[in-house]
Amino acid sequence: MTNDQWVVIGYGNTLRRDDGVGQVVAMRVQEWGCLGVRSLSRHQLTPELAQTLATVEGAIFVDAYPVSGETATVQVFPLRSEDADTISVGHHCDPRSLLALAQALYDHSPSAWLVTIPAVDFEFGETLSPIAQQGVTDALLHIHRLLAIQAESPTQLSSGCTEMGQQGQQGQQGQQGQQGEIGEMVS
């Protein structure tokens, strides 16, 4: 085991506008400086990540999902290695396959969640649409709450993580009715 208890893996193509939103979120999580939390930005998920997953207790995957309207919200889904259809060992994997691969190779698969961010613009470019920008803010709140829920005590999160949660709660209060509580989404 490493000193990192959690890994946040944001993935997508940063040259296809909103598709890169997962990497943007991972970079922002890295800026928090949370003890015990490692953040990785990747173009795509690859089998090599199974080794990283085998060394942590929890994993959060972050990706874009295409929507046609402006009313979509960030979604959080629990993941289980048992739900993988197959174990993919090609150049591209999905989160469940990576969890199953970690279990098969290293006899450990962490608790895991998938955070998906609404995306509307997949054209060439490096800027995010307004809906994806809002999704970054919302996803960061969800990730912070997942980390806080899983921590045995709030002091396990570094002050940077705690500060992020306090700043985000103001924006979250107006959104709770629309998105529901994170505990409801992951239970």
Side-chain angles (χ1 to χ4, degrees), residues 89-169:
V89 291
H91 292 289
H92 176 69
C93 299
D94 69 23
R96 287 181 181 95
S97 290
L98 275 177
L99 294 168
L101 186 59
Q103 182 66 43
L105 293 177
Y106 303 102
D107 199 30
H108 175 74
S109 178
S111 300
W113 287 266
L114 173 62
V115 176
T116 59
I117 300 171
V120 294
D121 186 354
F122 294 90
E123 297 298 320
F124 290 109
E126 296 182 23
T127 58
L128 297 177
S129 68
I131 194 168
Q133 290 174 11
Q134 181 60 49
V136 168
T137 301
D138 296 345
L140 290 169
L141 288 169
H142 287 299
I143 291 168
H144 183 269
R145 292 187 68 201
L146 279 170
L147 293 172
I149 288 169
Q150 299 306 314
E152 290 179 21
S153 71
T155 58
Q156 286 186 320
L157 295 177
S158 73
S159 61
C161 290
T162 304
E163 288 173 18
M164 186 281 153
Q166 291 170 350
Q167 292 170 359
Q169 286 183 12

Side-chain angles (χ1 to χ4, degrees), residues 46-55 98-99 101-102 105-106 108:
T46 58
E48 295 80 8
L49 290 170
Q51 184 176 14
T52 300
L53 292 172
T55 65
L98 275 177
L99 294 168
L101 186 59
L105 293 177
Y106 303 102
H108 175 74

Side-chain angles (χ1 to χ4, degrees), residues 11-68:
Y11 57 101
N13 186 343
T14 57
L15 299 177
R16 298 299 298 253
R17 298 191 188 270
D18 290 356
D19 191 48
V21 73
Q23 287 200 49
V24 171
V25 168
M27 288 183 269
R28 295 278 298 275
V29 169
Q30 185 68 35
E31 292 171 5
W32 293 348
C34 297
L35 297 176
V37 178
R38 181 176 179 194
S39 186
L40 302 173
S41 299
R42 298 291 185 261
H43 181 75
Q44 62 187 14
L45 299 177
T46 58
E48 295 80 8
L49 290 170
Q51 184 176 14
T52 300
L53 292 172
T55 65
V56 296
E57 293 303 314
I60 300 172
F61 296 89
V62 187
D63 193 16
Y65 76 95
V67 297
S68 57

